[in-house]
Amino acid sequence: MDQQKPSKKRIAVIPGDGIGQEVIPQALKVVRASGADVAFSEFDWGADRYLRDGMTVPPDGFTMLGRDFDAILAGAFGDPRVKTNIHAKEILLGMRFKMDLYANVRPVRLLDAALCPLKGIEPRDVDFLVIRENTEGVYTNAGGVFKQGTADEIAIQEDINTRKGVERIIRYAFEYCECHTKLDGSPRRRVLMCDKSNAMTHAGGLWQRVFKEVGGEHPQIETQHMYVDALCMQMVRDPRPFDVIVTNNMFGDIITDLAAGLQGGLGMAASGNIHPGRTSMFEPVHGSAPPIAGKNLANPFGAILTAAMMLGHLGLTREAAKIEAAVLEAVRQKKTTQDIGGTLATREAGEWVAERVSS
Ligand code: ATP
């Protein structure tokens, strides 16, 4: 955590594409209303800029972000006009990989029972988090194609797992578990590692060995293991036993969309891309959602909760708590967008939360 710097926190804001451009302004409005001592600098990196002048990220872009800012708040990247999605890869994966933001932290919390598609599940039953390895796995895009476009085509997608990468994410999960409580104030107790080591034996073996080793250094924390397929079934049958889940890049990507379903859908989910001690990046879990972009329909709460998560990370815990409480109240009073049962538009939902925060 970056708590030594006492002064105004400098935040780089990259709204990006599609609904990112609609939800991020709402998050900024709410942060301003909270009175947090922050200064925003906005960057226009995204599809429009790429289509205009071919730029995705300026040459010193990532160095500048790490040097000049305490945190980054990003929206979403992806635009149907850019078929290759090159700008999204260079900006989003660029930040994660080149700034080495190795821990993708995704809290899964149910604010109101009405938002959960499962029967009989209360807010206290869904309060876990997924810690996803963010810099390795199949997302490195290592591999290649041979004889492309022929009947003999071969495509190889390598799954990269380094000892260093696996160890640091597993350590992060145990340390997180040790230092954080649940929403009701009770301690977190268990780290579950999710893999597919029965089929992917080489990578799975490394994860298994490291998990056992690091788990042994934390005897007070319970350890558990599940194959990813079994975990998916468990998540929709009964999410109550989950606490801290640690997993690789791809499984983390998939299970966090499933988990977002438990908390009201993609519009409600927040995430942080973290390297302890360095400038970290916060973004809602959802993408640019082209079908609803530009219509003032997108749920801004995922982005607003992401901004609160960022403030908490920067040590502005009072402002973060105020924002979370206001979103909770909005959900309870159905002052929400249509995707979670309300009637408000993006801007109105953001406005309601901002007013509540400043009242
Ligand atoms: P990506 O791969 O970039 O993460 P995705 O293909 O998973 O994106 P999203 O862009 O996140 O998909 O959205 C999928 C669908 O979920 C959208 O078309 C929309 O219907 C819904 N959705 C996502 N985010 C929101 C939101 N903030 N508010 C309302 N609906 C949303």
Side-chain angles (χ1 to χ4, degrees):
M1 294 222 180
D2 210 355
Q3 288 172 338
Q4 302 99 311
K5 297 175 189 167
S7 57
K8 192 182 279 296
K9 300 294 181 190
R10 302 153 305 163
I11 315 291
V13 180
I14 315 175
D17 306 329
I19 63 169
Q21 295 188 9
E22 298 170 74
V23 296
I24 291 298
Q26 303 314 312
L28 300 188
K29 187 158 60 182
V30 170
V31 172
R32 286 193 186 101
S34 77
D37 191 17
V38 296
F40 296 121
S41 301
E42 209 161 309
F43 294 88
D44 66 352
W45 306 354
D48 285 341
R49 177 74 194 263
Y50 174 68
L51 291 168
R52 207 164 59 238
D53 63 14
M55 193 213 73
T56 56
V57 178
D60 69 337
F62 298 124
T63 311
M64 176 272 298
L65 289 175
R67 184 190 58 221
D68 298 343
F69 293 96
D70 297 299
I72 304 159
L73 180 63
F77 301 91
D79 186 306
R81 294 171 299 167
V82 185
K83 299 275 179 269
T84 58
N85 216 21
I86 176 79
H87 72 295
K89 285 182 199 135
E90 291 194 3
I91 300 167
L92 190 59
L93 294 185
M95 278 191 278
R96 289 180 183 167
F97 283 59
K98 296 199 172 139
M99 299 180 79
D100 201 27
L101 305 177
Y102 67 87
N104 187 289
V105 178
R106 298 186 170 190
V108 184
R109 290 159 35 189
L110 176 63
L111 295 184
D112 191 90
L115 298 185
C116 188
L118 304 184
K119 272 184 279 181
I121 292 293
E122 297 294 325
R124 66 170 176 275
D125 300 329
V126 182
D127 179 9
F128 63 94
L129 71 143
V130 179
I131 296 180
R132 162 188 172 191
E133 203 294 319
N134 217 18
T135 56
E136 301 192 343
V138 292
Y139 290 60
T140 53
N141 210 26
V145 286
F146 181 52
K147 297 188 179 176
Q148 191 172 20
T150 73
D152 296 323
E153 179 165 350
I154 299 169
I156 296 175
Q157 196 81 43
E158 301 282 7
D159 184 13
I160 308 288
N161 295 265
T162 67
R163 165 80 204 198
K164 176 184 153 196
V166 173
E167 185 175 332
R168 68 181 179 174
I169 194 68
I170 289 178
R171 281 196 186 285
Y172 187 92
F174 277 97
E175 282 159 19
Y176 190 100
C177 186
E178 225 160 47
C179 304
H180 289 78
T181 56
K182 294 189 164 205
L183 281 182
D184 65 8
S186 64
R188 293 206 174 272
R189 296 181 193 285
R190 187 182 316 121
V191 177
L192 182 158
M193 186 186 72
C194 157
D195 66 15
K196 189 65 189 165
S197 53
N198 48 350
M200 299 160 72
T201 55
H202 309 306
L206 173 62
W207 279 77
Q208 292 279 348
R209 274 181 280 118
V210 175
F211 186 60
K212 203 167 166 206
E213 210 176 288
V214 178
E217 297 169 17
H218 299 268
Q220 72 290 4
I221 296 175
E222 218 180 290
T223 56
Q224 196 188 350
H225 169 259
M226 282 181 102
Y227 297 126
V228 63
D229 41 355
L231 179 134
C232 289
M233 187 177 70
Q234 175 67 28
M235 214 175 255
V236 294
R237 284 180 74 159
D238 183 4
R240 282 174 290 197
F242 294 117
D243 196 344
V244 175
I245 299 172
V246 63
T247 191
N248 72 15
N249 209 337
M250 183 168 68
F251 297 150
D253 191 358
I254 296 167
I255 66 176
T256 50
D257 267 31
L258 177 62
L262 299 174
Q263 58 185 142
L266 283 171
M268 294 299 293
S271 81
N273 298 267
I274 293 168
H275 186 130
R278 293 199 197 167
T279 303
S280 295
M281 186 266 284
F282 296 80
E283 53 168 342
V285 170
H286 63 73
S288 58
I292 60 165
K295 297 180 179 162
N296 201 18
L297 285 174
N299 183 348
F301 290 176
I304 292 171
L305 291 169
T306 296
M309 188 180 175
M310 175 186 74
L311 295 182
H313 179 81
L314 293 172
L316 300 168
T317 47
R318 200 171 50 85
E319 292 85 349
K322 247 195 321 192
I323 293 173
E324 283 169 5
V327 172
L328 175 60
E329 199 48 41
V331 170
R332 283 191 179 140
Q333 294 194 31
K334 290 217 176 329
K335 302 293 181 190
T336 71
T337 45
Q338 291 167 25
D339 57 306
I340 53 168
T343 55
L344 300 186
T346 308
R347 275 191 296 276
E348 287 67 37
E351 196 61 51
W352 196 93
V353 175
E355 273 174 24
R356 182 90 193 181
V357 162
S358 56
S359 65

